[in-house]
Amino acid sequence: MWRMDNGRALTELRRGVLGPCVLALLEERPRFGLELVRDLDEAGNLLSSDGTVYPLLNRLRDSKLVTSEWSDADGQRARRYYTITLTGLQALEGFRADWSQFTSVVGSVLGQPTRRRKAVS
Amino acid sequence: MTGPTTAETEPRVADYLRSLDGALTRLPREDAAELRQQIVEHVSDSIGPDSDDAHVRAILQRLGAPTDLVAESLQSRPRRRWQAVRNWRWQRWVTLGVVVAALGCGTGYVVDMVKQPALQTEAFTSGWYYAADGNHAHDEDNANGDETIIRERPGEEQGFVFIVHNTSAWPETILGADHESGLGNNFQSTVTVALGTSNADLNSSYRTDPYRATPAVVPPGQIRWLRVTWRQLRCQHPPHVTTSENAFGLRVKIGWFTHHQTLQLPETLASTSVFQPNCPNN
């Protein structure tokens, strides 16, 4: 019998939304790696592990959605800051529209069952 | 010079980075170096001089296992073409080496073919083809040097000869006159090119050497008499018009390529038109 693996499903969901969430944080202002990790963590445990944000950032940069640049913003030591590009902003807007529709559909299916069924043990 | 940061020298971090280095061998070199730098930067930002062992352990644990990071990197990035090349077996590399060597040799062969020199003419080795023309020729000094002038022979075949020397290492096949050279336009007639069949020395006679119509080959290092003939149309020129040539164009094939070669004639060859009865332009 098939059983829903909630942990795995959540991981897959996180993986799917992590890119747009990173873009949304960078939309506010450029951030460096650890800063992004902390902000994603504070937002609600969006990362399965902290290190996974770096392969993601590299992929976003390869897709021209973000750029990276070394900067010594706080005068302490140089860090690699990530900045969203115009293409990234457009992709983010597109995702927001899709996400709104998606969550609405999923919410209506999950939250409002049309009829009760007898649970099968 | 910048040495390792405090974080990198911390024993647990050093162990983690060693494991990471092992896992990173699965990634292309540039990607591996970048990911390592990002991780080192992350750890350096997270760990201070006062961090205790538990804090360091927690930071590294939250980073995730090195193999997971590399797996994530491999999964989330498109497989690059050269990365696929890196995974080729040795047989493919050998095959590639053979192909590259063959291409190199082929390229050298073609470059050698293209770089061969054009046919050369030799000084004092030109003249009118018919004895009668030669006997009636007279020399004049013009701006370019000697010019040998004869009269036109409307309606009859006439021509000149000169020596061509193949100084290249390849056979050069003369395909015919290059009509863009101007000769055909000047005489408004079909120009025929024929080549002597023996390796002529500079004292040999163009009259006794048999000729072969083009296309004909000048072997490497040999010289040949080249005969150019045409038939002048009647009434083409009004009387006393001089037409001269100091160069002659040929289409020459060397190897796979056809070249347009313009050969400087050893002297300027000119003909003067004569009065012809019943011509409208008299």
Side-chain angles (χ1 to χ4, degrees):
Chain A
M1 180 182 169
W2 180 82
R3 287 177 186 277
M4 180 174 277
D5 183 345
N6 286 336
R8 184 172 175 177
L10 199 57
T11 301
E12 293 302 320
L13 275 175
R14 279 199 197 109
R15 187 192 294 276
V17 298
L18 191 55
C21 289
V22 167
L23 290 177
L25 287 173
L26 295 179
E27 187 186 25
E28 294 174 8
R29 59 182 166 80
R31 284 173 158 86
F32 60 92
L34 182 62
E35 197 178 6
L36 273 170
V37 168
R38 284 175 177 160
D39 290 342
L40 289 166
D41 198 39
E42 279 176 19
N45 197 22
L46 280 169
L47 288 169
S48 54
S49 63
D50 291 357
T52 54
V53 79
Y54 297 106
L56 171 69
L57 282 167
N58 295 339
R59 179 170 59 83
L60 293 175
R61 192 203 48 214
D62 286 353
S63 305
K64 316 273 188 212
L65 301 179
V66 304
T67 57
S68 67
E69 191 176 31
W70 287 93
S71 174
D72 187 6
D74 57 5
Q76 293 180 354
R77 69 186 193 86
R79 291 188 174 98
R80 193 195 307 250
Y81 279 80
Y82 299 88
T83 307
I84 191 167
T85 64
L86 184 60
T87 310
L89 286 170
Q90 290 166 347
L92 181 60
E93 284 310 305
F95 181 83
R96 279 184 173 133
D98 293 342
W99 180 251
S100 174
Q101 189 179 2
F102 178 76
T103 50
S104 169
V105 170
V106 174
S108 68
V109 172
L110 293 180
Q112 297 172 11
T114 53
R115 57 183 177 178
R116 290 179 183 277
R117 287 179 177 156
K118 188 180 176 183
V120 178
S121 60
Chain B
M1 182 177 167
T2 308
T5 63
T6 309
E8 282 178 272
T9 55
E10 206 284 333
R12 283 188 186 280
V13 174
D15 281 346
Y16 184 91
L17 291 178
R18 264 193 296 278
S19 300
L20 181 64
D21 288 339
L24 286 173
T25 55
R26 295 174 62 201
L27 287 182
R29 193 170 300 144
E30 286 177 18
D31 294 353
E34 183 173 46
L35 184 57
R36 188 185 198 279
Q37 194 174 29
Q38 287 168 317
I39 297 301
V40 167
E41 199 182 336
H42 177 99
V43 174
S44 300
D45 278 336
S46 307
I47 298 173
D50 302 329
S51 297
D52 60 13
D53 192 54
H55 178 69
V56 172
R57 202 175 338 153
I59 293 296
L60 297 177
Q61 196 170 5
R62 280 207 299 270
L63 259 178
T67 49
D68 291 345
L69 291 185
V70 172
E72 177 69 24
S73 192
L74 283 169
Q75 193 174 22
S76 64
R77 304 192 76 175
R79 188 178 177 84
R80 292 179 180 170
R81 190 171 296 170
W82 76 266
Q83 187 187 345
V85 169
R86 201 176 72 161
N87 295 333
W88 277 10
R89 294 179 183 276
W90 66 268
Q91 294 96 327
R92 291 184 182 177
W93 284 113
V94 169
T95 306
L96 181 65
V98 170
V99 170
V100 168
L103 283 175
C105 291
T107 304
Y109 182 77
V110 171
V111 168
D112 186 56
M113 192 186 292
V114 171
K115 284 173 61 182
Q116 294 302 316
L119 293 168
Q120 307 290 314
T121 56
E122 300 285 347
F124 309 114
T125 59
S126 62
W128 293 101
Y129 179 60
Y130 292 108
D133 289 341
N135 292 338
H136 289 99
H138 66 275
D139 291 337
E140 285 186 358
D141 286 334
N142 67 353
N144 300 319
D146 278 348
E147 182 174 78
T148 302
I149 304 176
I150 59 163
R151 71 179 187 87
E152 279 183 359
R153 295 153 60 112
E156 299 176 46
E157 189 181 41
Q158 67 180 139
F160 55 77
V161 290
F162 60 97
I163 269 183
V164 291
H165 187 182
N166 180 3
T167 59
S168 79
W170 287 68
E172 299 201 15
T173 304
I174 298 173
L175 301 176
D178 178 7
H179 290 290
E180 292 176 5
S181 68
L183 184 65
N185 295 332
N186 280 345
F187 292 102
Q188 294 294 308
S189 59
T190 302
V191 176
T192 305
V193 178
L195 194 69
T197 51
S198 60
N199 187 22
D201 65 55
L202 299 182
N203 296 318
S204 66
S205 171
Y206 63 85
R207 291 175 188 152
T208 56
D209 195 22
Y211 287 85
R212 178 181 296 158
T214 53
V217 179
V218 185
Q222 294 201 7
I223 58 178
R224 290 281 192 276
W225 283 106
L226 186 80
R227 188 182 71 192
V228 180
T229 54
W230 64 91
R231 192 179 294 274
Q232 185 71 41
L233 301 178
R234 281 198 78 246
C235 302
Q236 185 182 334
H237 295 139
H240 312 302
V241 171
T242 299
T243 306
S244 63
E245 300 291 340
N246 56 14
F248 185 68
L250 287 174
R251 286 181 294 116
V252 180
K253 190 172 185 183
I254 306 175
W256 302 334
F257 300 99
T258 298
H259 305 261
H260 296 271
Q261 298 183 359
T262 301
L263 279 61
Q264 288 300 313
L265 296 174
E267 62 183 328
T268 301
L269 298 167
S271 60
T272 303
S273 57
V274 294
F275 175 81
Q276 299 167 76
N278 303 322
C279 283
N281 54 3
N282 275 336

